[in-house]
Amino acid sequence: MQRAIALATDSVASGGGPFGAVIGRGDEVVATGTNMVTTNLDPTAHAEVTAIRNACQELDSFRLDGCVLVTSCEPCPMCMASALWARLDEIVYAADRDDAAAAGFDDRAFYELFTDPNAVWPTPVRPVGVDNRTAPFDAWRNKPDRVEY
């Protein structure tokens, strides 16, 4: 955890956001990541996502079974979903969403969108009816050499 916090603190000094993450497996550090949203002009470059990307490249796999995500702050909904898709064994964090909000990183509204079925989303999200909407899934089901995930 101290390494994740140090990464987050160092990230601030180098122009990034105050978030750091470490992916570990046993006693080994597989990969690290820092928040690079403003440095890379990428809203998905949160520390956890960056660490997950780096770990997947290091392990040559899109699954991180057997690994733990250690992060300086509670993962936002995007990072949590990414960690779940990566199949990490565990996620541990230091600061929480309220600590982040106090520093100007208030994503509590995003958490609420996913927990309140009556929430009004700031961006309209709606289905568009098209006849071939399942064509990609049909192609996937019929692909004999697909890689399941």
Side-chain angles (χ1 to χ4, degrees):
M1 182 58 73
Q2 292 306 315
R3 182 144 182 212
I5 292 170
L7 284 165
T9 305
D10 292 346
S11 178
V12 172
S14 63
F19 303 93
V22 176
I23 304 280
R25 183 172 61 185
D27 294 333
E28 169 193 15
V29 171
V30 175
T32 63
T34 58
N35 181 286
M36 300 169 66
V37 169
T38 58
T39 54
N40 286 6
L41 305 177
D42 178 355
T44 68
H46 290 198
E48 298 88 343
V49 172
T50 302
I52 289 167
R53 290 173 181 161
N54 292 341
C56 288
Q57 292 301 304
E58 181 66 27
L59 297 175
D60 194 30
S61 175
F62 59 87
R63 294 183 64 109
L64 298 177
D65 308 80
C67 294
V68 174
L69 170 63
V70 179
T71 183
S72 64
C73 188
E74 181 177 6
C76 74
M78 177 186 69
C79 293
M80 185 60 74
S82 298
L84 293 171
W85 275 110
R87 309 298 198 272
L88 287 151
D89 284 6
E90 185 178 11
I91 302 162
V92 295
Y93 61 89
D96 65 20
R97 64 184 78 176
D98 296 318
D99 298 321
F105 295 89
D106 193 354
D107 55 5
R108 292 175 295 192
F110 296 146
Y111 292 97
E112 292 167 13
L113 284 174
F114 290 103
T115 58
D116 180 0
N118 299 315
V120 176
W121 289 63
T123 302
V125 179
R126 63 184 177 82
V128 176
V130 293
D131 291 338
N132 64 340
R133 72 182 185 277
T134 63
F137 297 120
D138 297 339
W140 174 257
R141 277 191 295 274
N142 294 323
K143 183 174 174 46
D145 61 341
R146 67 181 179 258
V147 176
E148 300 285 345
Y149 61 98

